[in-house]
Amino acid sequence: MNHDMPTSSGTKDVVSSHSVFGAPCWVSLTSRDVKATEEFYGAVLGWQWRPAKLGDRFRIALADGSPVAGIAGVAAMWQMAVAWTPYFAVRSADDAAARVQERMGTVAVGPISLPPGRAALLADRDGATFGIWEGDLFTDWETWRNAQPAFITLHTRDAFDAAIFYGEVLDWASQRPGCCEVHYEGGEVVLRSRGDVVARIESGALGAAPDPAIRPHWQVHFSVDDVEACARAAELHGGSVLSKGGHEAVLRDHDGAQFTVTARRGR
């Protein structure tokens, strides 16, 4: 969900989910200990923090003064897994949640009202978790989008099947004005919104794998200047490095949440 919603839809730089429907609009981390999470990501990614409007359990991460992501300290209270989750903008949270159930997916939480909008936490039919948001996006959301601080990839059993599921739920390639475009390139599905690549879907994940890093899941990537430095900092602050290449590293934070740091370059 968006942790920092504007109090009034009259603010001139507020964007509605209705105008960017189907596109990723936020990323959020469920956490057991907000203070420890702030310390870890501050050391690894250099983030600063500010309170969120949803309450004491929520924080907004800032990179160079711009919102990057949210933390929700509700994992223990709500008995939820510690994980990064992408949220997609929708025209109607209730309609999208109903479509998920109709297509053998799961509605885990919601839709619930979080003025000025509605949110839900869902899973696709292969078990990958994602969220939806209907309503105003946070103030200066276009800066977040243009800076591209985060990028998401779905690792799933069958990219083509997943694209059909998400397309039907989120109105991708629906021919409606402003809808996201879906392309098949090099064996993967590429999602574009307003011409920009905003997500990718890759085949190969194993549904019954004991390791959650191998099972179908949405992977959140953060753009950084120095991948090696982030990997070292993660290990020094209680995390681990799951894999590392020339341009990116897959890391696990102190609490077990997996994410990727990617060298800052064009997608």
Side-chain angles (χ1 to χ4, degrees), residues 129-164:
T129 301
F130 67 103
I132 53 174
W133 174 259
E134 172 200 352
D136 290 343
L137 307 179
F138 62 85
T139 302
D140 206 24
W141 179 81
E142 287 287 4
T143 299
W144 179 85
R145 177 188 175 95
N146 294 335
Q148 300 179 344
F151 180 70
I152 59 173
T153 301
L154 175 62
H155 300 278
T156 190
R157 177 184 53 81
D158 184 327
F160 183 80
D161 182 71
I164 293 174

PDB file of all heavy atoms in Angstrom, residues 129-164:
ATOM      1  N   THR A 129       3.333 -12.991  -4.490  1.00  0.00           N
ATOM      2  CA  THR A 129       2.548 -11.984  -3.774  1.00  0.00           C
ATOM      3  C   THR A 129       2.703 -10.609  -4.419  1.00  0.00           C
ATOM      4  O   THR A 129       3.802 -10.216  -4.813  1.00  0.00           O
ATOM      5  CB  THR A 129       3.000 -11.912  -2.307  1.00  0.00           C
ATOM      6  OG1 THR A 129       2.825 -13.205  -1.705  1.00  0.00           O
ATOM      7  CG2 THR A 129       2.189 -10.891  -1.531  1.00  0.00           C
ATOM      8  N   PHE A 130       1.599  -9.863  -4.499  1.00  0.00           N
ATOM      9  CA  PHE A 130       1.619  -8.500  -5.004  1.00  0.00           C
ATOM     10  C   PHE A 130       0.466  -7.736  -4.378  1.00  0.00           C
ATOM     11  O   PHE A 130      -0.439  -8.320  -3.776  1.00  0.00           O
ATOM     12  CB  PHE A 130       1.532  -8.459  -6.537  1.00  0.00           C
ATOM     13  CG  PHE A 130       0.215  -8.947  -7.101  1.00  0.00           C
ATOM     14  CD1 PHE A 130      -0.728  -8.049  -7.567  1.00  0.00           C
ATOM     15  CD2 PHE A 130      -0.069 -10.306  -7.164  1.00  0.00           C
ATOM     16  CE1 PHE A 130      -1.950  -8.496  -8.088  1.00  0.00           C
ATOM     17  CE2 PHE A 130      -1.279 -10.765  -7.684  1.00  0.00           C
ATOM     18  CZ  PHE A 130      -2.219  -9.866  -8.150  1.00  0.00           C
ATOM     19  N   GLY A 131       0.507  -6.416  -4.502  1.00  0.00           N
ATOM     20  CA  GLY A 131      -0.557  -5.594  -3.958  1.00  0.00           C
ATOM     21  C   GLY A 131      -1.186  -4.734  -5.036  1.00  0.00           C
ATOM     22  O   GLY A 131      -0.645  -4.583  -6.138  1.00  0.00           O
ATOM     23  N   ILE A 132      -2.344  -4.171  -4.726  1.00  0.00           N
ATOM     24  CA  ILE A 132      -3.009  -3.234  -5.625  1.00  0.00           C
ATOM     25  C   ILE A 132      -3.414  -2.000  -4.840  1.00  0.00           C
ATOM     26  O   ILE A 132      -3.654  -2.061  -3.628  1.00  0.00           O
ATOM     27  CB  ILE A 132      -4.247  -3.861  -6.307  1.00  0.00           C
ATOM     28  CG1 ILE A 132      -5.209  -4.455  -5.258  1.00  0.00           C
ATOM     29  CG2 ILE A 132      -3.833  -4.907  -7.324  1.00  0.00           C
ATOM     30  CD1 ILE A 132      -6.521  -4.959  -5.847  1.00  0.00           C
ATOM     31  N   TRP A 133      -3.472  -0.887  -5.540  1.00  0.00           N
ATOM     32  CA  TRP A 133      -3.884   0.374  -4.926  1.00  0.00           C
ATOM     33  C   TRP A 133      -4.826   1.109  -5.864  1.00  0.00           C
ATOM     34  O   TRP A 133      -4.531   1.295  -7.054  1.00  0.00           O
ATOM     35  CB  TRP A 133      -2.683   1.266  -4.623  1.00  0.00           C
ATOM     36  CG  TRP A 133      -3.109   2.625  -4.135  1.00  0.00           C
ATOM     37  CD1 TRP A 133      -3.162   3.789  -4.858  1.00  0.00           C
ATOM     38  CD2 TRP A 133      -3.591   2.950  -2.827  1.00  0.00           C
ATOM     39  NE1 TRP A 133      -3.652   4.809  -4.079  1.00  0.00           N
ATOM     40  CE2 TRP A 133      -3.918   4.327  -2.831  1.00  0.00           C
ATOM     41  CE3 TRP A 133      -3.767   2.211  -1.655  1.00  0.00           C
ATOM     42  CZ2 TRP A 133      -4.414   4.966  -1.696  1.00  0.00           C
ATOM     43  CZ3 TRP A 133      -4.269   2.861  -0.533  1.00  0.00           C
ATOM     44  CH2 TRP A 133      -4.575   4.224  -0.562  1.00  0.00           C
ATOM     45  N   GLU A 134      -5.967   1.536  -5.316  1.00  0.00           N
ATOM     46  CA  GLU A 134      -6.923   2.383  -6.027  1.00  0.00           C
ATOM     47  C   GLU A 134      -7.013   3.717  -5.305  1.00  0.00           C
ATOM     48  O   GLU A 134      -7.298   3.760  -4.108  1.00  0.00           O
ATOM     49  CB  GLU A 134      -8.307   1.733  -6.040  1.00  0.00           C
ATOM     50  CG  GLU A 134      -9.400   2.646  -6.594  1.00  0.00           C
ATOM     51  CD  GLU A 134     -10.803   2.213  -6.181  1.00  0.00           C
ATOM     52  OE1 GLU A 134     -10.951   1.122  -5.588  1.00  0.00           O
ATOM     53  OE2 GLU A 134     -11.748   2.985  -6.440  1.00  0.00           O
ATOM     54  N   GLY A 135      -6.764   4.804  -6.025  1.00  0.00           N
ATOM     55  CA  GLY A 135      -6.867   6.128  -5.416  1.00  0.00           C
ATOM     56  C   GLY A 135      -5.694   7.008  -5.784  1.00  0.00           C
ATOM     57  O   GLY A 135      -4.935   6.722  -6.714  1.00  0.00           O
ATOM     58  N   ASP A 136      -5.540   8.097  -5.040  1.00  0.00           N
ATOM     59  CA  ASP A 136      -4.438   9.019  -5.288  1.00  0.00           C
ATOM     60  C   ASP A 136      -3.116   8.371  -4.900  1.00  0.00           C
ATOM     61  O   ASP A 136      -3.020   7.658  -3.900  1.00  0.00           O
ATOM     62  CB  ASP A 136      -4.614  10.308  -4.481  1.00  0.00           C
ATOM     63  CG  ASP A 136      -5.760  11.164  -4.985  1.00  0.00           C
ATOM     64  OD1 ASP A 136      -6.203  10.939  -6.132  1.00  0.00           O
ATOM     65  OD2 ASP A 136      -6.210  12.054  -4.238  1.00  0.00           O
ATOM     66  N   LEU A 137      -2.088   8.649  -5.700  1.00  0.00           N
ATOM     67  CA  LEU A 137      -0.738   8.244  -5.361  1.00  0.00           C
ATOM     68  C   LEU A 137      -0.107   9.357  -4.537  1.00  0.00           C
ATOM     69  O   LEU A 137      -0.653  10.454  -4.438  1.00  0.00           O
ATOM     70  CB  LEU A 137       0.066   7.970  -6.632  1.00  0.00           C
ATOM     71  CG  LEU A 137      -0.612   6.979  -7.599  1.00  0.00           C
ATOM     72  CD1 LEU A 137       0.243   6.794  -8.847  1.00  0.00           C
ATOM     73  CD2 LEU A 137      -0.864   5.646  -6.929  1.00  0.00           C
ATOM     74  N   PHE A 138       1.050   9.072  -3.940  1.00  0.00           N
ATOM     75  CA  PHE A 138       1.612  10.064  -3.033  1.00  0.00           C
ATOM     76  C   PHE A 138       2.050  11.327  -3.774  1.00  0.00           C
ATOM     77  O   PHE A 138       2.318  11.310  -4.981  1.00  0.00           O
ATOM     78  CB  PHE A 138       2.788   9.475  -2.231  1.00  0.00           C
ATOM     79  CG  PHE A 138       3.947   9.021  -3.072  1.00  0.00           C
ATOM     80  CD1 PHE A 138       4.921   9.911  -3.481  1.00  0.00           C
ATOM     81  CD2 PHE A 138       4.075   7.698  -3.434  1.00  0.00           C
ATOM     82  CE1 PHE A 138       5.991   9.502  -4.230  1.00  0.00           C
ATOM     83  CE2 PHE A 138       5.154   7.269  -4.187  1.00  0.00           C
ATOM     84  CZ  PHE A 138       6.117   8.171  -4.589  1.00  0.00           C
ATOM     85  N   THR A 139       2.129  12.408  -3.047  1.00  0.00           N
ATOM     86  CA  THR A 139       2.542  13.676  -3.620  1.00  0.00           C
ATOM     87  C   THR A 139       3.910  13.545  -4.274  1.00  0.00           C
ATOM     88  O   THR A 139       4.815  12.924  -3.731  1.00  0.00           O
ATOM     89  CB  THR A 139       2.599  14.751  -2.515  1.00  0.00           C
ATOM     90  OG1 THR A 139       1.308  14.835  -1.906  1.00  0.00           O
ATOM     91  CG2 THR A 139       2.990  16.102  -3.087  1.00  0.00           C
ATOM     92  N   ASP A 140       4.060  14.115  -5.470  1.00  0.00           N
ATOM     93  CA  ASP A 140       5.301  14.073  -6.239  1.00  0.00           C
ATOM     94  C   ASP A 140       5.621  12.658  -6.718  1.00  0.00           C
ATOM     95  O   ASP A 140       6.773  12.293  -6.872  1.00  0.00           O
ATOM     96  CB  ASP A 140       6.464  14.633  -5.407  1.00  0.00           C
ATOM     97  CG  ASP A 140       7.575  15.197  -6.289  1.00  0.00           C
ATOM     98  OD1 ASP A 140       7.286  15.566  -7.435  1.00  0.00           O
ATOM     99  OD2 ASP A 140       8.727  15.248  -5.831  1.00  0.00           O
ATOM    100  N   TRP A 141       4.584  11.858  -6.970  1.00  0.00           N
ATOM    101  CA  TRP A 141       4.799  10.493  -7.451  1.00  0.00           C
ATOM    102  C   TRP A 141       5.533  10.468  -8.788  1.00  0.00           C
ATOM    103  O   TRP A 141       6.330   9.563  -9.043  1.00  0.00           O
ATOM    104  CB  TRP A 141       3.453   9.783  -7.588  1.00  0.00           C
ATOM    105  CG  TRP A 141       3.591   8.373  -8.098  1.00  0.00           C
ATOM    106  CD1 TRP A 141       3.925   7.269  -7.375  1.00  0.00           C
ATOM    107  CD2 TRP A 141       3.407   7.930  -9.448  1.00  0.00           C
ATOM    108  NE1 TRP A 141       3.955   6.165  -8.187  1.00  0.00           N
ATOM    109  CE2 TRP A 141       3.645   6.538  -9.463  1.00  0.00           C
ATOM    110  CE3 TRP A 141       3.068   8.571 -10.637  1.00  0.00           C
ATOM    111  CZ2 TRP A 141       3.542   5.769 -10.631  1.00  0.00           C
ATOM    112  CZ3 TRP A 141       2.973   7.815 -11.794  1.00  0.00           C
ATOM    113  CH2 TRP A 141       3.211   6.429 -11.787  1.00  0.00           C
ATOM    114  N   GLU A 142       5.307  11.444  -9.637  1.00  0.00           N
ATOM    115  CA  GLU A 142       5.982  11.466 -10.942  1.00  0.00           C
ATOM    116  C   GLU A 142       7.503  11.528 -10.780  1.00  0.00           C
ATOM    117  O   GLU A 142       8.241  10.977 -11.592  1.00  0.00           O
ATOM    118  CB  GLU A 142       5.491  12.650 -11.785  1.00  0.00           C
ATOM    119  CG  GLU A 142       4.076  12.484 -12.329  1.00  0.00           C
ATOM    120  CD  GLU A 142       3.986  11.485 -13.464  1.00  0.00           C
ATOM    121  OE1 GLU A 142       5.003  10.854 -13.788  1.00  0.00           O
ATOM    122  OE2 GLU A 142       2.884  11.335 -14.032  1.00  0.00           O
ATOM    123  N   THR A 143       7.982  12.190  -9.721  1.00  0.00           N
ATOM    124  CA  THR A 143       9.426  12.211  -9.468  1.00  0.00           C
ATOM    125  C   THR A 143       9.933  10.807  -9.177  1.00  0.00           C
ATOM    126  O   THR A 143      10.986  10.383  -9.661  1.00  0.00           O
ATOM    127  CB  THR A 143       9.752  13.143  -8.281  1.00  0.00           C
ATOM    128  OG1 THR A 143       9.333  14.467  -8.617  1.00  0.00           O
ATOM    129  CG2 THR A 143      11.242  13.146  -7.975  1.00  0.00           C
ATOM    130  N   TRP A 144       9.173  10.056  -8.368  1.00  0.00           N
ATOM    131  CA  TRP A 144       9.529   8.665  -8.066  1.00  0.00           C
ATOM    132  C   TRP A 144       9.595   7.847  -9.353  1.00  0.00           C
ATOM    133  O   TRP A 144      10.547   7.111  -9.591  1.00  0.00           O
ATOM    134  CB  TRP A 144       8.485   8.078  -7.123  1.00  0.00           C
ATOM    135  CG  TRP A 144       8.699   6.638  -6.731  1.00  0.00           C
ATOM    136  CD1 TRP A 144       9.475   6.175  -5.720  1.00  0.00           C
ATOM    137  CD2 TRP A 144       8.091   5.486  -7.326  1.00  0.00           C
ATOM    138  NE1 TRP A 144       9.396   4.800  -5.651  1.00  0.00           N
ATOM    139  CE2 TRP A 144       8.551   4.348  -6.632  1.00  0.00           C
ATOM    140  CE3 TRP A 144       7.197   5.293  -8.397  1.00  0.00           C
ATOM    141  CZ2 TRP A 144       8.154   3.050  -6.957  1.00  0.00           C
ATOM    142  CZ3 TRP A 144       6.806   4.000  -8.714  1.00  0.00           C
ATOM    143  CH2 TRP A 144       7.288   2.905  -7.999  1.00  0.00           C
ATOM    144  N   ARG A 145       8.603   8.009 -10.192  1.00  0.00           N
ATOM    145  CA  ARG A 145       8.546   7.235 -11.433  1.00  0.00           C
ATOM    146  C   ARG A 145       9.685   7.607 -12.376  1.00  0.00           C
ATOM    147  O   ARG A 145      10.361   6.740 -12.926  1.00  0.00           O
ATOM    148  CB  ARG A 145       7.201   7.485 -12.127  1.00  0.00           C
ATOM    149  CG  ARG A 145       7.053   6.799 -13.475  1.00  0.00           C
ATOM    150  CD  ARG A 145       5.775   7.290 -14.142  1.00  0.00           C
ATOM    151  NE  ARG A 145       5.633   6.750 -15.483  1.00  0.00           N
ATOM    152  CZ  ARG A 145       4.934   5.665 -15.775  1.00  0.00           C
ATOM    153  NH1 ARG A 145       4.326   4.991 -14.824  1.00  0.00           N
ATOM    154  NH2 ARG A 145       4.836   5.236 -17.015  1.00  0.00           N
ATOM    155  N   ASN A 146       9.932   8.902 -12.544  1.00  0.00           N
ATOM    156  CA  ASN A 146      10.955   9.348 -13.483  1.00  0.00           C
ATOM    157  C   ASN A 146      12.367   9.015 -13.019  1.00  0.00           C
ATOM    158  O   ASN A 146      13.265   8.747 -13.820  1.00  0.00           O
ATOM    159  CB  ASN A 146      10.825  10.848 -13.726  1.00  0.00           C
ATOM    160  CG  ASN A 146       9.539  11.216 -14.436  1.00  0.00           C
ATOM    161  OD1 ASN A 146       8.959  10.395 -15.154  1.00  0.00           O
ATOM    162  ND2 ASN A 146       9.064  12.433 -14.244  1.00  0.00           N
ATOM    163  N   ALA A 147      12.573   9.033 -11.695  1.00  0.00           N
ATOM    164  CA  ALA A 147      13.899   8.711 -11.162  1.00  0.00           C
ATOM    165  C   ALA A 147      14.185   7.212 -11.238  1.00  0.00           C
ATOM    166  O   ALA A 147      15.344   6.794 -11.176  1.00  0.00           O
ATOM    167  CB  ALA A 147      14.007   9.178  -9.713  1.00  0.00           C
ATOM    168  N   GLN A 148      13.134   6.402 -11.380  1.00  0.00           N
ATOM    169  CA  GLN A 148      13.257   4.958 -11.490  1.00  0.00           C
ATOM    170  C   GLN A 148      14.130   4.369 -10.381  1.00  0.00           C
ATOM    171  O   GLN A 148      15.107   3.667 -10.645  1.00  0.00           O
ATOM    172  CB  GLN A 148      13.827   4.578 -12.864  1.00  0.00           C
ATOM    173  CG  GLN A 148      12.979   5.047 -14.021  1.00  0.00           C
ATOM    174  CD  GLN A 148      13.563   4.676 -15.374  1.00  0.00           C
ATOM    175  OE1 GLN A 148      14.730   4.336 -15.479  1.00  0.00           O
ATOM    176  NE2 GLN A 148      12.767   4.747 -16.399  1.00  0.00           N
ATOM    177  N   PRO A 149      13.816   4.662  -9.121  1.00  0.00           N
ATOM    178  CA  PRO A 149      14.640   4.113  -8.046  1.00  0.00           C
ATOM    179  C   PRO A 149      14.433   2.628  -7.835  1.00  0.00           C
ATOM    180  O   PRO A 149      15.266   1.950  -7.254  1.00  0.00           O
ATOM    181  CB  PRO A 149      14.153   4.889  -6.817  1.00  0.00           C
ATOM    182  CG  PRO A 149      12.722   5.191  -7.131  1.00  0.00           C
ATOM    183  CD  PRO A 149      12.671   5.427  -8.616  1.00  0.00           C
ATOM    184  N   ALA A 150      13.301   2.116  -8.311  1.00  0.00           N
ATOM    185  CA  ALA A 150      12.993   0.706  -8.108  1.00  0.00           C
ATOM    186  C   ALA A 150      12.465   0.099  -9.403  1.00  0.00           C
ATOM    187  O   ALA A 150      11.853   0.774 -10.227  1.00  0.00           O
ATOM    188  CB  ALA A 150      11.957   0.545  -6.997  1.00  0.00           C
ATOM    189  N   PHE A 151      12.711  -1.187  -9.566  1.00  0.00           N
ATOM    190  CA  PHE A 151      12.270  -1.919 -10.742  1.00  0.00           C
ATOM    191  C   PHE A 151      11.864  -3.304 -10.281  1.00  0.00           C
ATOM    192  O   PHE A 151      12.394  -3.811  -9.285  1.00  0.00           O
ATOM    193  CB  PHE A 151      13.406  -2.006 -11.755  1.00  0.00           C
ATOM    194  CG  PHE A 151      13.051  -2.739 -13.016  1.00  0.00           C
ATOM    195  CD1 PHE A 151      12.165  -2.187 -13.922  1.00  0.00           C
ATOM    196  CD2 PHE A 151      13.591  -3.983 -13.281  1.00  0.00           C
ATOM    197  CE1 PHE A 151      11.829  -2.859 -15.096  1.00  0.00           C
ATOM    198  CE2 PHE A 151      13.261  -4.664 -14.447  1.00  0.00           C
ATOM    199  CZ  PHE A 151      12.369  -4.107 -15.357  1.00  0.00           C
ATOM    200  N   ILE A 152      10.904  -3.920 -10.928  1.00  0.00           N
ATOM    201  CA  ILE A 152      10.423  -5.217 -10.462  1.00  0.00           C
ATOM    202  C   ILE A 152      10.464  -6.262 -11.570  1.00  0.00           C
ATOM    203  O   ILE A 152      10.247  -5.954 -12.745  1.00  0.00           O
ATOM    204  CB  ILE A 152       9.004  -5.120  -9.878  1.00  0.00           C
ATOM    205  CG1 ILE A 152       8.006  -4.593 -10.923  1.00  0.00           C
ATOM    206  CG2 ILE A 152       9.002  -4.243  -8.635  1.00  0.00           C
ATOM    207  CD1 ILE A 152       6.559  -4.645 -10.444  1.00  0.00           C
ATOM    208  N   THR A 153      10.738  -7.502 -11.170  1.00  0.00           N
ATOM    209  CA  THR A 153      10.758  -8.642 -12.079  1.00  0.00           C
ATOM    210  C   THR A 153      10.005  -9.795 -11.432  1.00  0.00           C
ATOM    211  O   THR A 153      10.231 -10.105 -10.266  1.00  0.00           O
ATOM    212  CB  THR A 153      12.202  -9.092 -12.375  1.00  0.00           C
ATOM    213  OG1 THR A 153      12.939  -8.015 -12.948  1.00  0.00           O
ATOM    214  CG2 THR A 153      12.210 -10.266 -13.350  1.00  0.00           C
ATOM    215  N   LEU A 154       9.124 -10.429 -12.185  1.00  0.00           N
ATOM    216  CA  LEU A 154       8.429 -11.612 -11.706  1.00  0.00           C
ATOM    217  C   LEU A 154       9.182 -12.843 -12.185  1.00  0.00           C
ATOM    218  O   LEU A 154       9.317 -13.076 -13.386  1.00  0.00           O
ATOM    219  CB  LEU A 154       6.987 -11.644 -12.219  1.00  0.00           C
ATOM    220  CG  LEU A 154       6.174 -12.900 -11.873  1.00  0.00           C
ATOM    221  CD1 LEU A 154       6.024 -13.058 -10.364  1.00  0.00           C
ATOM    222  CD2 LEU A 154       4.809 -12.877 -12.548  1.00  0.00           C
ATOM    223  N   HIS A 155       9.672 -13.632 -11.249  1.00  0.00           N
ATOM    224  CA  HIS A 155      10.252 -14.936 -11.553  1.00  0.00           C
ATOM    225  C   HIS A 155       9.142 -15.957 -11.332  1.00  0.00           C
ATOM    226  O   HIS A 155       8.672 -16.136 -10.203  1.00  0.00           O
ATOM    227  CB  HIS A 155      11.444 -15.212 -10.639  1.00  0.00           C
ATOM    228  CG  HIS A 155      12.537 -14.204 -10.769  1.00  0.00           C
ATOM    229  ND1 HIS A 155      13.483 -14.248 -11.769  1.00  0.00           N
ATOM    230  CD2 HIS A 155      12.818 -13.100 -10.047  1.00  0.00           C
ATOM    231  CE1 HIS A 155      14.313 -13.230 -11.645  1.00  0.00           C
ATOM    232  NE2 HIS A 155      13.921 -12.509 -10.607  1.00  0.00           N
ATOM    233  N   THR A 156       8.725 -16.630 -12.391  1.00  0.00           N
ATOM    234  CA  THR A 156       7.537 -17.469 -12.293  1.00  0.00           C
ATOM    235  C   THR A 156       7.705 -18.743 -13.104  1.00  0.00           C
ATOM    236  O   THR A 156       8.697 -18.929 -13.819  1.00  0.00           O
ATOM    237  CB  THR A 156       6.293 -16.677 -12.744  1.00  0.00           C
ATOM    238  OG1 THR A 156       5.113 -17.409 -12.429  1.00  0.00           O
ATOM    239  CG2 THR A 156       6.346 -16.375 -14.237  1.00  0.00           C
ATOM    240  N   ARG A 157       6.747 -19.620 -12.967  1.00  0.00           N
ATOM    241  CA  ARG A 157       6.792 -20.917 -13.653  1.00  0.00           C
ATOM    242  C   ARG A 157       6.687 -20.757 -15.162  1.00  0.00           C
ATOM    243  O   ARG A 157       7.436 -21.374 -15.924  1.00  0.00           O
ATOM    244  CB  ARG A 157       5.645 -21.787 -13.112  1.00  0.00           C
ATOM    245  CG  ARG A 157       5.485 -23.139 -13.749  1.00  0.00           C
ATOM    246  CD  ARG A 157       4.250 -23.825 -13.178  1.00  0.00           C
ATOM    247  NE  ARG A 157       3.067 -22.988 -13.293  1.00  0.00           N
ATOM    248  CZ  ARG A 157       2.345 -22.862 -14.407  1.00  0.00           C
ATOM    249  NH1 ARG A 157       2.681 -23.504 -15.505  1.00  0.00           N
ATOM    250  NH2 ARG A 157       1.270 -22.091 -14.432  1.00  0.00           N
ATOM    251  N   ASP A 158       5.763 -19.924 -15.623  1.00  0.00           N
ATOM    252  CA  ASP A 158       5.483 -19.766 -17.052  1.00  0.00           C
ATOM    253  C   ASP A 158       5.165 -18.300 -17.306  1.00  0.00           C
ATOM    254  O   ASP A 158       4.093 -17.819 -16.922  1.00  0.00           O
ATOM    255  CB  ASP A 158       4.305 -20.657 -17.439  1.00  0.00           C
ATOM    256  CG  ASP A 158       3.977 -20.638 -18.924  1.00  0.00           C
ATOM    257  OD1 ASP A 158       4.163 -19.580 -19.562  1.00  0.00           O
ATOM    258  OD2 ASP A 158       3.510 -21.662 -19.448  1.00  0.00           O
ATOM    259  N   ALA A 159       6.083 -17.591 -17.939  1.00  0.00           N
ATOM    260  CA  ALA A 159       5.911 -16.153 -18.156  1.00  0.00           C
ATOM    261  C   ALA A 159       4.670 -15.848 -18.987  1.00  0.00           C
ATOM    262  O   ALA A 159       3.960 -14.877 -18.721  1.00  0.00           O
ATOM    263  CB  ALA A 159       7.152 -15.565 -18.821  1.00  0.00           C
ATOM    264  N   PHE A 160       4.412 -16.653 -19.995  1.00  0.00           N
ATOM    265  CA  PHE A 160       3.261 -16.410 -20.867  1.00  0.00           C
ATOM    266  C   PHE A 160       1.960 -16.555 -20.077  1.00  0.00           C
ATOM    267  O   PHE A 160       1.064 -15.705 -20.155  1.00  0.00           O
ATOM    268  CB  PHE A 160       3.283 -17.393 -22.038  1.00  0.00           C
ATOM    269  CG  PHE A 160       2.167 -17.174 -23.025  1.00  0.00           C
ATOM    270  CD1 PHE A 160       2.259 -16.177 -23.987  1.00  0.00           C
ATOM    271  CD2 PHE A 160       1.022 -17.959 -22.989  1.00  0.00           C
ATOM    272  CE1 PHE A 160       1.216 -15.967 -24.899  1.00  0.00           C
ATOM    273  CE2 PHE A 160      -0.015 -17.758 -23.894  1.00  0.00           C
ATOM    274  CZ  PHE A 160       0.087 -16.760 -24.853  1.00  0.00           C
ATOM    275  N   ASP A 161       1.851 -17.623 -19.273  1.00  0.00           N
ATOM    276  CA  ASP A 161       0.649 -17.832 -18.462  1.00  0.00           C
ATOM    277  C   ASP A 161       0.482 -16.709 -17.442  1.00  0.00           C
ATOM    278  O   ASP A 161      -0.636 -16.226 -17.213  1.00  0.00           O
ATOM    279  CB  ASP A 161       0.741 -19.182 -17.750  1.00  0.00           C
ATOM    280  CG  ASP A 161      -0.497 -19.484 -16.928  1.00  0.00           C
ATOM    281  OD1 ASP A 161      -1.558 -19.756 -17.516  1.00  0.00           O
ATOM    282  OD2 ASP A 161      -0.408 -19.434 -15.683  1.00  0.00           O
ATOM    283  N   ALA A 162       1.588 -16.288 -16.815  1.00  0.00           N
ATOM    284  CA  ALA A 162       1.525 -15.202 -15.833  1.00  0.00           C
ATOM    285  C   ALA A 162       1.077 -13.906 -16.480  1.00  0.00           C
ATOM    286  O   ALA A 162       0.306 -13.135 -15.889  1.00  0.00           O
ATOM    287  CB  ALA A 162       2.879 -15.021 -15.164  1.00  0.00           C
ATOM    288  N   ALA A 163       1.561 -13.637 -17.704  1.00  0.00           N
ATOM    289  CA  ALA A 163       1.174 -12.408 -18.396  1.00  0.00           C
ATOM    290  C   ALA A 163      -0.328 -12.383 -18.663  1.00  0.00           C
ATOM    291  O   ALA A 163      -0.966 -11.329 -18.572  1.00  0.00           O
ATOM    292  CB  ALA A 163       1.944 -12.275 -19.703  1.00  0.00           C
ATOM    293  N   ILE A 164      -0.898 -13.533 -18.978  1.00  0.00           N
ATOM    294  CA  ILE A 164      -2.343 -13.602 -19.189  1.00  0.00           C
ATOM    295  C   ILE A 164      -3.077 -13.303 -17.876  1.00  0.00           C
ATOM    296  O   ILE A 164      -4.042 -12.526 -17.841  1.00  0.00           O
ATOM    297  CB  ILE A 164      -2.747 -14.989 -19.730  1.00  0.00           C
ATOM    298  CG1 ILE A 164      -2.178 -15.179 -21.141  1.00  0.00           C
ATOM    299  CG2 ILE A 164      -4.265 -15.151 -19.721  1.00  0.00           C
ATOM    300  CD1 ILE A 164      -2.393 -16.568 -21.704  1.00  0.00           C
TER     301      ILE A 164
END
